[in-house]
Amino acid sequence: MQSLVRNSLCVLLSAASMAMTAPSAVAEEAPRVRYQEIPDGAYSVVAQVRAKPGKEDALRAATLPLIDLVRGDPKNLVYFLQEDRARPGHFIFYEVFASQTDFDAHNAMPYVKDWFAKLPELADGGVEVMRMAVLGKHRK
């Protein structure tokens, strides 16, 4: 009996260890940032939006679909959506496009316009945007 318990415990610990170290399916399918493909001077945007009090969940629900939509845009090079752990409903966007023209085309997409149309109801003060240039010569 003691041997059976010991063997069962070993199997459980082994399975738990493998589950903790195995990469998730999401990580395997995630697009890779290829720094060498980002041109010097690429057009980058760091933006933030804050939910109105009580609208945190609604703004999150409206914003989360942007991740797949923007990353699916062939002109988008990098896209991260982040939420402040200390202040739920405070979102930071980090986006990189090869040029301002590519970024402007992104902003003209129907899903982006639809998201902006929801902000008066959900966001406190709209979107604050910093338009940046990516620095550094990348080696191939």
Side-chain angles (χ1 to χ4, degrees), residues 114-136:
D114 290 345
W115 181 79
F116 273 104
K118 296 173 185 173
L119 293 185
E121 177 189 338
L122 302 175
D124 188 14
V127 180
E128 297 174 36
V129 179
M130 292 188 302
R131 299 167 192 278
M132 315 292 281
V134 175
L135 303 178

Side-chain angles (χ1 to χ4, degrees), residues 23-39:
S24 70
V26 173
E28 290 174 10
E29 296 172 13
R32 303 267 185 227
V33 174
R34 298 197 186 341
Y35 293 100
Q36 68 274 14
E37 294 176 11
I38 299 174

Side-chain angles (χ1 to χ4, degrees), residues 5-140:
V5 170
R6 191 174 343 161
N7 288 343
S8 297
L9 183 58
C10 286
V11 168
L12 285 173
L13 288 173
S14 179
S17 174
M18 287 174 33
M20 290 172 33
T21 59
S24 70
V26 173
E28 290 174 10
E29 296 172 13
R32 303 267 185 227
V33 174
R34 298 197 186 341
Y35 293 100
Q36 68 274 14
E37 294 176 11
I38 299 174
D40 194 33
Y43 196 80
S44 173
V45 171
V46 179
Q48 66 179 346
V49 63
R50 291 177 181 92
K52 288 181 178 179
K55 298 289 186 174
E56 296 85 357
D57 290 340
L59 181 57
R60 184 180 305 104
T63 305
L64 283 173
L66 294 177
I67 297 169
D68 289 337
L69 292 167
V70 177
R71 287 181 179 174
D73 180 342
K75 294 184 182 224
N76 174 258
L77 302 175
V78 177
Y79 181 83
F80 289 104
L81 172 63
Q82 303 161 93
E83 185 173 10
D84 188 334
R85 292 176 191 267
R87 292 177 286 169
H90 179 195
F91 298 95
I92 303 289
F93 301 80
Y94 179 71
E95 307 176 41
V96 179
F97 293 85
S99 67
Q100 182 175 352
T101 301
D102 289 350
F103 176 71
D104 292 342
H106 156 72
N107 275 344
M109 297 297 287
Y111 66 86
V112 175
K113 289 181 175 186
D114 290 345
W115 181 79
F116 273 104
K118 296 173 185 173
L119 293 185
E121 177 189 338
L122 302 175
D124 188 14
V127 180
E128 297 174 36
V129 179
M130 292 188 302
R131 299 167 192 278
M132 315 292 281
V134 175
L135 303 178
K137 192 70 175 165
H138 303 287
R139 296 183 184 149
K140 290 191 178 198

